Structure formats: C-alpha cells, structure tokens
C-alpha cells in the first residue's frame, strides 16, 4: 500500500510540475515560439532519459522517488508542448485532422508499441522475477533519445518560415 501511495503522489506531483510548471516556463522560454517550445521539450526529454534509466534500478525509496519524479515531470512537459506547437503551426482548417493524427500516433507508440517492446525485452534479455525493471531501464531511455532527436529536428524545421497561401487561393473545402 505504501508503494502505491508513493507512486500515486509522484504521478500527481510530476504531472503538476511538468505540465503546469513546464508550461509556464515554456511560455517565457525564448518568447514561446514553436521552435523554442520544441527546444525546451528536447531539454526536458534529456533530463527525463536520466530519470527513466535510473528509477527502475534504485533500491531506496528516496532514490526511486527522485528519479521517478524527474522522469515523469519531463514526460509531462511534452504533454503540453507538442499539442501546443501543432496548434501554432497548423492552419485552422487542418487542426482537427492534425490533432487526431497526433493522438493516434502517440497512443499507438506509447500504449501499444512501448509496453510490448518492454515486455519482449524483459522476457528475452532479462528472464526472471526482476526482468521487467531492467527492461524499463533499457527501453525507456531509448524512447527518450528518439523523442529528443525528433524534438530537435522539429525545432530546426519550425525555425523556417511557414508557407503562406495567396488570398486568391483559399484552402480547399469538401462539400
């Protein structure tokens, strides 16, 4: 029961720190431009990778709590950053479609692919009772590094000027 209470408290605290605290800082970071938000998310992801690698391996509850809070706070930063940037960069007529595609991909990777890969690696590379913790310490940082590279690349692309349509060519509509 104590482990569940600690984990629940850390999830709440990490969510508040990452989403609200990270959002407040991100709004002020280099003017809150899309590229700045993406760079901020890349920085948070770098910190999260360290927490992700450490929290499953630490034996003390204090060490676990510190590493897990770092891991989850960093993850929560991106929950606010990515959709905000998508809305900033997407033309109004396409925002619902882009948001739907984003949610689909995040759920496919985060809820489908990630846990499956972690379980397979745990079973194949780390058989035994504690295998899943080593698999988490192995897989989660790799996911964070991939996210870091994606955020960094997206920030470079977001720095480029957006194309504009001349007023005589409105966005096509169906109907």
């Amino acid at each position: 029961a104590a482990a569940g209470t600690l984990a629940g408290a850390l999830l709440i605290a990490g969510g508040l720190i990452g989403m609200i605290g990270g959002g407040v800082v991100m709004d002020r970071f280099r003017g809150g431009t899309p590229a700045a938000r993406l760079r901020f998310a890349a920085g948070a992801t770098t910190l999260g990778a360290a927490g992700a690698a450490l929290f499953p391996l630490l034996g003390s509850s204090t060490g676990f709590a510190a590493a897990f809070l770092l891991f989850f706070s960093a993850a929560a930063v991106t929950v606010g950053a990515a959709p905000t940037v998508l809305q900033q960069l997407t033309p109004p007529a396409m925002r619902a479609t882009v948001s739907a595609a984003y949610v689909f991909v995040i759920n496919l990777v985060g809820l489908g692919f990630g846990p499956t890969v972690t379980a397979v690696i745990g079973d194949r590379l780390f058989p035994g009772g504690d295998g899943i913790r080593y698999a988490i310490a192995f897989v989660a940082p790799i996911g964070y590094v991939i996210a870091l590279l994606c955020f960094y690349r997206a920030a470079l692309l977001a720095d480029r000027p957006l194309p504009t349509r001349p007023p005589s060519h409105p966005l096509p509509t169906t109907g």
Side-chain angles (χ1 to χ4, degrees):
T5 302
L6 176 62
L10 292 171
L11 288 170
I12 292 169
L16 290 171
I17 291 167
M19 283 193 276
I20 296 180
V24 168
V25 173
M26 202 173 355
D27 285 342
R28 289 155 181 74
F29 183 72
R30 296 186 182 170
T33 66
R37 290 178 195 279
L38 291 164
R39 285 187 180 91
F40 187 85
T45 301
T46 302
L47 294 174
L54 291 173
F55 89 81
L57 303 177
L58 296 173
S60 76
S61 58
T62 304
F64 164 81
F68 189 83
L69 188 63
L70 178 64
F71 155 73
F72 196 71
S73 296
V77 165
T78 64
V79 170
T84 301
V85 169
L86 287 174
Q87 295 300 305
Q88 284 179 296
L89 294 176
T90 304
M94 297 175 59
R95 287 184 181 155
T97 303
V98 169
S99 292
Y102 167 75
V103 170
F104 174 75
V105 170
I106 291 301
N107 282 297
L108 182 67
V109 172
L111 298 177
F113 186 65
T116 303
V117 168
T118 303
V120 168
I121 287 178
D123 289 345
R124 307 280 174 162
L125 299 181
F126 308 107
D130 281 349
I132 195 67
R133 66 187 252 177
Y134 297 111
I136 292 170
F138 179 77
V139 173
I142 292 171
Y144 270 78
V145 169
I146 292 168
L148 166 67
L149 295 172
C150 289
F151 280 128
Y152 181 72
R153 175 71 176 140
L156 293 175
L157 294 172
D159 273 336
R160 298 184 340 191
L162 291 173
T164 57
R165 286 185 176 265
S168 61
H169 301 305
L171 288 173
T173 59
T174 59

